[in-house]
Amino acid sequence: MGHRLADTSTPARIAAPGEGIGRDELALATRNHGLPLEAMRHDLTPPGLHYVLTHYDIPYVPEDAPWQLVLGGRVRRPLTLTLADLRALPQVTTRVTLECAGNGRALLAPRPVSQPWLVEAVGTAEWTGVPLRLLLAAAGAEPDAVDVVCTGADHGVERGVEQDYQRALPLDVATGTDPEVLVAYEMNGAPLPPQHGRPLRLVVPGWYGMAQVKWLCEITVTDTPFTGFQQAVAYRLRQDAGDEGEPVTRIAPRALLVPPGFPDFMSRTRVVRPGTVTLEGRAWSGRAPVTRAEVSTDAGRSWHRADLEPDTGHPWAWRRWRFDWRAEPGEFVLSARATDAEGHTQPLEQPWNRGGFANNLVQRVDVLCLDEEFTQPGR
Ligand SMILES: Nc1nc2c(c(=O)[nH]1)N[C@H]1C(S)=C(S)[C@@H](COP(=O)(O)O)O[C@H]1N2
Ligand SMILES: [Mo]
């Protein structure tokens, strides 16, 4: 057969030194779009601007299609819930910053070959739904319950393993209140858009994207740890292909700049005028509240404290920061850095692993400060 599917024994590929982004990566990049960073000005990301990542195909679910959520496995009372059943249960809305675990991957050297994110795989939305712990309490988990396996309606093959998209949460996380996991049916006050999981998805505040199962159709409580592909093979921090690795869980702190000034079309270099340029951006961490945001205008050699928005009452969402920069003509590399209440911060050296996961290297933004206008033809 002429197919070019990787097989089960093949580890994810690492690009050769100097190897450019391939057509396979481009195909993923055109499907899975990032947040245009200027949209960080919105507290809540308009859904069409929120980043999207989908491993396989987006299931076709018309607006009025029937949907059932089946909750079974190691429970005393298996449940089958319709959307109307779920909407009749207590409703919670939580503002959450989601970030893909692979954010930053394409900037790593050597580059893990996969969805080639720069730093834009992030977005913030208000998710409305029913707490997962209430569903699990209604079903009654057996005393030997260990994991809560969540299955999406999308199906595909990945490195030779045909699968539904599945991820498990440990029982204590699934039944916890800090964060409180949601089975969500609304995003920013409207039914979920198709690309974000219509009609149902999991929302696990503070955790990287892979945990937030879209097109949720089945929840199965197990008495043994789940060993599906997305749990035991993918989303683990490994230096070598043979390592068992550590699971990817919560979001490491990150700060990003709203791109200052205006861009050059091809290079994306930013152009600003001399004088006071108010830099702004967002900072978040899924581990503990962000307590500090800093800015560097000299490629990370010196750092200045930025003004961080005070407690917003949304502990799982990004916070705004601002810093006034006295820009003088020249070329600059701007950076921002977040630190959280547990002292986690961002490295200046890349944290590398084979999957390119949870890498929160500080951002570098090339800026040209120029006191004249660029020429225009015909002027
Ligand atoms: N069913 C299903 N859920 C999924 C995925 C998927 O491919 N299928 N991708 C996951 C990953 S890796 C990420 S980063 C988030 C992205 O969520 P978003 O597209 O709503 O931003 O969805 C997660 N949930
Ligand atoms: Mo992801």
Side-chain angles (χ1 to χ4, degrees), residues 32-304:
N32 297 314
H33 66 80
L35 171 77
L37 295 183
E38 62 273 27
M40 287 193 296
R41 293 195 175 91
H42 300 266
D43 288 332
L44 288 186
T45 310
L49 298 180
H50 193 287
Y51 92 97
V52 170
L53 193 129
T54 301
H55 284 237
Y56 314 127
D57 290 348
I58 297 171
Y60 175 58
V61 185
E63 218 146 326
D64 48 1
W67 193 266
Q68 286 187 333
L69 177 63
V70 176
L71 201 174
R74 301 295 299 154
V75 296
R76 285 188 289 281
R77 294 171 295 276
L79 301 173
T80 299
L81 299 155
T82 64
L83 294 180
D85 294 335
L86 292 168
R87 282 185 174 273
L89 291 168
Q91 192 179 82
V92 170
T93 297
T94 312
R95 187 176 296 193
V96 180
T97 295
L98 292 191
E99 183 180 11
C100 179
N103 204 12
R105 176 185 289 130
L107 297 170
L108 294 176
R111 186 180 81 255
V113 175
S114 183
Q115 165 66 32
W117 296 121
L118 299 173
V119 290
E120 63 294 275
V122 65
T124 297
E126 282 190 341
W127 303 96
T128 299
V130 50
L132 177 59
R133 63 184 175 82
L134 299 185
L135 302 183
L136 291 169
E142 299 281 9
D144 59 4
V146 177
D147 268 356
V148 177
V149 182
C150 297
T151 304
D154 49 333
H155 189 87
V157 57
E158 207 160 331
R159 281 192 262 152
V161 183
E162 186 173 333
Q163 57 192 288
D164 297 328
Y165 187 89
Q166 287 189 308
R167 280 281 309 185
L169 287 173
L171 185 73
D172 61 327
V173 176
T175 55
T177 53
D178 188 32
E180 183 167 71
V181 179
L182 297 184
V183 172
Y185 41 76
E186 283 181 11
M187 178 187 196
N188 295 354
L192 297 185
Q195 71 274 27
H196 292 296
R198 176 184 293 176
L200 276 187
R201 80 174 305 168
L202 213 60
V203 173
V204 189
W207 284 54
Y208 278 115
M210 73 284 149
Q212 332 270 337
V213 178
K214 301 190 278 190
W215 312 292
L216 181 66
C217 56
E218 228 175 272
I219 298 175
T220 307
V221 178
T222 62
D223 59 2
T224 52
F226 178 62
T227 57
F229 183 90
Q230 306 298 347
Q231 205 86 20
V233 182
Y235 298 111
R236 297 187 81 90
L237 306 173
R238 294 190 177 91
Q239 293 303 312
D240 294 299
D243 294 351
E244 190 191 340
E246 286 293 311
V248 176
T249 57
R250 289 186 180 231
I251 299 173
R254 193 194 291 276
L256 293 178
L257 287 117
V258 167
F262 58 90
D264 172 60
F265 173 60
M266 273 316 295
S267 68
R268 308 313 290 178
T269 294
R270 309 299 306 186
V271 182
V272 300
R273 302 290 178 219
T276 300
V277 177
T278 300
L279 302 174
E280 61 168 325
R282 299 283 180 169
W284 62 91
S285 167
R287 297 182 173 180
V290 169
T291 48
R292 187 159 34 141
E294 294 161 289
V295 169
S296 169
T297 58
D298 57 5
R301 279 185 287 278
S302 62
W303 292 89
H304 313 277

